[in-house]
Short mmCIF file of all heavy atoms in Angstrom, two decimals:
data_model
loop_
_atom_site.label_atom_id
_atom_site.label_comp_id
_atom_site.label_asym_id
_atom_site.label_seq_id
_atom_site.Cartn_x
_atom_site.Cartn_y
_atom_site.Cartn_z
N GLY A 299 5.35 -1.65 17.89
CA GLY A 299 4.27 -2.59 17.60
C GLY A 299 3.43 -2.24 16.40
O GLY A 299 2.56 -3.02 16.01
N VAL A 300 3.68 -1.05 15.80
CA VAL A 300 2.97 -0.70 14.58
C VAL A 300 3.99 -0.55 13.45
O VAL A 300 5.18 -0.35 13.68
CB VAL A 300 2.15 0.60 14.73
CG1 VAL A 300 1.07 0.42 15.79
CG2 VAL A 300 3.04 1.78 15.08
N ASP A 301 3.51 -0.67 12.23
CA ASP A 301 4.41 -0.66 11.08
C ASP A 301 4.88 0.75 10.72
O ASP A 301 6.02 0.92 10.27
CB ASP A 301 3.73 -1.31 9.87
CG ASP A 301 3.48 -2.79 10.09
OD1 ASP A 301 4.44 -3.49 10.46
OD2 ASP A 301 2.33 -3.24 9.92
N TYR A 302 4.02 1.75 10.91
CA TYR A 302 4.43 3.10 10.56
C TYR A 302 3.68 4.10 11.43
O TYR A 302 2.47 3.97 11.65
CB TYR A 302 4.14 3.41 9.08
CG TYR A 302 4.64 4.77 8.65
CD1 TYR A 302 6.00 5.04 8.57
CD2 TYR A 302 3.75 5.79 8.33
CE1 TYR A 302 6.47 6.29 8.19
CE2 TYR A 302 4.21 7.05 7.95
CZ TYR A 302 5.57 7.29 7.88
OH TYR A 302 6.03 8.53 7.51
N ALA A 303 4.41 5.09 11.96
CA ALA A 303 3.82 6.19 12.72
C ALA A 303 3.99 7.47 11.93
O ALA A 303 5.12 7.94 11.72
CB ALA A 303 4.48 6.31 14.09
N ALA A 304 2.88 8.03 11.47
CA ALA A 304 2.86 9.27 10.70
C ALA A 304 2.64 10.42 11.67
O ALA A 304 1.53 10.59 12.19
CB ALA A 304 1.76 9.23 9.64
N LEU A 305 3.68 11.20 11.92
CA LEU A 305 3.63 12.22 12.95
C LEU A 305 3.37 13.61 12.39
O LEU A 305 3.77 13.94 11.27
CB LEU A 305 4.94 12.23 13.74
CG LEU A 305 5.35 10.94 14.45
CD1 LEU A 305 6.64 11.16 15.22
CD2 LEU A 305 4.24 10.44 15.36
N GLY A 306 2.73 14.43 13.22
CA GLY A 306 2.57 15.84 12.97
C GLY A 306 2.97 16.61 14.21
O GLY A 306 3.14 16.05 15.29
N HIS A 307 3.15 17.90 14.07
CA HIS A 307 3.44 18.90 15.09
C HIS A 307 4.74 19.64 14.79
O HIS A 307 4.75 20.85 14.75
CB HIS A 307 3.49 18.33 16.51
CG HIS A 307 3.80 19.40 17.55
ND1 HIS A 307 3.02 20.53 17.70
CD2 HIS A 307 4.81 19.53 18.45
CE1 HIS A 307 3.52 21.29 18.66
NE2 HIS A 307 4.61 20.72 19.12
N LEU A 308 5.85 18.93 14.59
CA LEU A 308 7.10 19.60 14.26
C LEU A 308 7.10 19.96 12.78
O LEU A 308 6.67 19.17 11.94
CB LEU A 308 8.30 18.72 14.61
CG LEU A 308 8.42 18.33 16.10
CD1 LEU A 308 9.71 17.56 16.33
CD2 LEU A 308 8.36 19.56 17.00
N HIS A 309 7.62 21.13 12.46
CA HIS A 309 7.47 21.66 11.11
C HIS A 309 8.61 21.29 10.16
O HIS A 309 8.56 21.63 8.98
CB HIS A 309 7.30 23.18 11.16
CG HIS A 309 5.98 23.60 11.68
ND1 HIS A 309 5.58 24.92 11.76
CD2 HIS A 309 4.93 22.87 12.16
CE1 HIS A 309 4.35 24.98 12.26
NE2 HIS A 309 3.94 23.75 12.51
N GLY A 310 9.61 20.60 10.65
CA GLY A 310 10.67 20.12 9.78
C GLY A 310 10.45 18.66 9.43
O GLY A 310 10.13 17.84 10.29
N CYS A 311 10.60 18.32 8.14
CA CYS A 311 10.50 16.92 7.72
C CYS A 311 11.69 16.17 8.31
O CYS A 311 12.84 16.58 8.09
CB CYS A 311 10.50 16.86 6.18
SG CYS A 311 10.35 15.19 5.53
N GLN A 312 11.43 15.09 9.03
CA GLN A 312 12.54 14.39 9.70
C GLN A 312 12.19 12.95 9.99
O GLN A 312 11.01 12.58 10.13
CB GLN A 312 12.95 15.12 10.97
CG GLN A 312 11.82 15.54 11.88
CD GLN A 312 12.22 16.65 12.82
OE1 GLN A 312 13.12 16.50 13.64
NE2 GLN A 312 11.54 17.80 12.72
N THR A 313 13.24 12.16 10.10
CA THR A 313 13.11 10.73 10.37
C THR A 313 13.59 10.47 11.79
O THR A 313 14.77 10.68 12.10
CB THR A 313 13.96 9.91 9.38
OG1 THR A 313 13.51 10.18 8.05
CG2 THR A 313 13.86 8.43 9.66
N ILE A 314 12.68 10.02 12.66
CA ILE A 314 13.06 9.66 14.02
C ILE A 314 13.62 8.24 14.02
O ILE A 314 14.68 7.97 14.55
CB ILE A 314 11.85 9.77 14.98
CG1 ILE A 314 11.22 11.17 14.88
CG2 ILE A 314 12.27 9.46 16.41
CD1 ILE A 314 12.16 12.31 15.22
N THR A 315 12.87 7.31 13.41
CA THR A 315 13.35 5.97 13.07
C THR A 315 12.79 5.68 11.68
O THR A 315 12.01 6.46 11.14
CB THR A 315 12.87 4.90 14.06
OG1 THR A 315 11.45 4.66 13.86
CG2 THR A 315 13.09 5.32 15.52
N GLU A 316 13.15 4.56 11.12
CA GLU A 316 12.64 4.22 9.80
C GLU A 316 11.12 4.11 9.79
O GLU A 316 10.47 4.35 8.77
CB GLU A 316 13.26 2.90 9.31
CG GLU A 316 14.71 3.03 8.88
CD GLU A 316 14.88 4.07 7.78
OE1 GLU A 316 14.20 3.96 6.74
OE2 GLU A 316 15.68 5.00 7.97
#
Side-chain angles (χ1 to χ4, degrees):
V300 297
D301 293 309
Y302 185 68
L305 301 182
H307 180 57
L308 299 185
H309 288 183
C311 182
Q312 47 201 299
T313 300
I314 306 301
T315 72
E316 286 303 305

